[in-house]
Amino acid sequence: MLAALVKAGHSNTRARRAVIAAICETGGQASPADLLASGRVHHPALGLVTVYRTLEILLELDLVRKLHTDDGCHSYAPSTHHHGHHVICQQCQRAMEFEGCDLETVVAAVEARTGFQVRSHWLELFGVCPECQTKSVR
Amino acid sequence: MLAALVKAGHSNTRARRAVIAAICETGGQASPADLLASGRVHHPALGLVTVYRTLEILLELDLVRKLHTDDGCHSYAPSTHHHGHHVICQQCQRAMEFEGCDLETVVAAVEARTGFQVRSHWLELFGVCPECQTKSVR
DNA sequence: TTACTTGCAAAAACTTTGCAGGCGC
DNA sequence: GCGCCTGCAAAGTTTTTGCAAGTAA
């Protein structure tokens, strides 16, 4: 992640390393405030503004994906596959990326029915992750 | 929409009629601020707070759906089908609801691959609506 | 050294809450 | 007339912007 950043012409700074580490450490998604907290473990003087600015760069380079949470604020997750979506645990908030969404059928049906030309899509799944399933069985 | 509201025990007030009219008039989605502007045509004294409060009620009754836009704020669209998603025009922002998303295959694949138990999902399609297609051909 | 980065503070944007007066029923 | 509803103002959140000091290369 750092390598790609540098390759794109950005500096390798302590603050950016801290933000990247924070993103990688969260099992999945994290809000900017979460990232600030985890990032400060690596770089205590880290500021929230820098978290936002670093995320902006990472988004542009497609190294990170922006997820929408229902409570109004956004969260961010590392992007590992090329065309990826996320499945999010409703209990522990862990997010896992998956690839290969076969939406061709759905897209074709919608195009036929609405007359729209579909260019892109956006999908998030919600459920329970393996670990939380085990826990809740007891 | 009004009928359902009243049936659920809410009063039939001028402000609520204005908000509902505003939602129905927008071809598809609209932000709270948009709704305030359109609503004021019907009820000039309408306040933004009332727009939010009315939307909250309509959401609860499933008469309206909340969409997420990338620019940070939310937008709302009337909900006509029971389990519906929206396809949104990237040019004119018009939103159209569609039903029948065949995600079973995708969901099954993801469950097999990640171990998650998928409980719900969230899908938005983006493209160009029939009218904008015509316009751009010329 | 030079230009890019940073972090604080302040501002902006969006949403929620408190409360006195108004309106539906 | 009673109680829900409204709209203003103010507060709370999240995100963006300005700027002087700091750091990478």
Side-chain angles (χ1 to χ4, degrees):
Chain A
M1 205 135 134
L2 227 188
L5 199 77
V6 172
K7 200 175 164 191
H10 300 278
S11 305
N12 171 358
T13 67
R14 187 170 182 191
R16 285 175 184 164
R17 286 195 301 272
V19 173
I20 290 176
I23 295 174
C24 296
E25 279 164 16
T26 71
Q29 54 165 349
S31 69
D34 291 339
L35 294 176
L36 177 65
S38 338
R40 281 193 163 159
V41 174
H42 302 275
H43 175 30
L46 182 63
L48 185 56
V49 182
T50 304
V51 174
Y52 277 103
R53 287 194 277 227
T54 305
L55 286 171
E56 202 178 320
I57 295 173
L58 295 174
L59 273 176
E60 216 160 86
L61 299 175
D62 264 323
L63 296 170
V64 146
R65 242 175 266 287
K66 193 179 194 174
L67 304 182
H68 298 237
T69 54
D70 260 335
D71 63 322
C73 85
H74 292 130
S75 78
Y76 298 80
S79 131
T80 51
H81 298 299
H82 209 60
H83 173 88
H85 297 287
H86 284 86
V87 51
I88 298 162
C89 178
Q90 293 172 321
Q91 277 169 47
C92 68
Q93 306 304 313
R94 181 194 318 268
M96 191 176 281
E97 197 176 20
F98 64 88
E99 61 182 345
C101 55
D102 288 322
L103 291 178
E104 290 79 21
T105 330
V106 179
V107 167
V110 170
E111 288 187 327
R113 213 171 310 171
T114 64
F116 270 67
Q117 235 172 53
V118 175
R119 298 237 172 107
S120 67
H121 61 266
W122 194 48
L123 173 69
E124 277 178 29
L125 300 182
F126 301 91
V128 185
C129 75
E131 282 167 44
C132 288
Q133 285 171 40
T134 320
K135 271 180 225 151
S136 55
V137 171
R138 72 181 232 83
Chain B
M1 205 135 133
L2 228 187
L5 199 77
V6 171
K7 200 173 164 191
H10 300 279
S11 306
N12 171 358
T13 68
R14 187 169 183 191
R16 285 174 184 166
R17 287 195 301 272
V19 173
I20 290 177
I23 295 174
C24 296
E25 280 164 15
T26 70
Q29 54 166 346
S31 70
D34 292 338
L35 293 176
L36 177 66
S38 339
R40 280 193 163 159
V41 174
H42 303 275
H43 176 31
L46 182 64
L48 185 58
V49 181
T50 303
V51 174
Y52 276 103
R53 287 194 277 228
T54 305
L55 285 172
E56 202 179 320
I57 295 173
L58 295 175
L59 273 176
E60 217 160 85
L61 299 175
D62 263 324
L63 296 170
V64 147
R65 242 174 266 287
K66 194 179 192 172
L67 305 182
H68 299 237
T69 54
D70 260 335
D71 62 323
C73 85
H74 292 129
S75 78
Y76 298 81
S79 131
T80 52
H81 299 300
H82 209 59
H83 174 88
H85 297 287
H86 284 86
V87 51
I88 298 163
C89 178
Q90 292 172 321
Q91 278 170 48
C92 68
Q93 306 306 313
R94 181 194 319 269
M96 192 176 280
E97 198 175 18
F98 63 88
E99 61 182 344
C101 55
D102 288 321
L103 290 178
E104 291 79 22
T105 330
V106 179
V107 167
V110 171
E111 288 188 327
R113 213 171 310 170
T114 64
F116 269 66
Q117 235 172 52
V118 175
R119 297 239 173 107
S120 68
H121 61 266
W122 193 50
L123 173 69
E124 277 178 30
L125 301 182
F126 301 91
V128 185
C129 74
E131 283 167 42
C132 289
Q133 285 171 40
T134 318
K135 273 182 223 149
S136 55
V137 171
R138 71 181 244 76

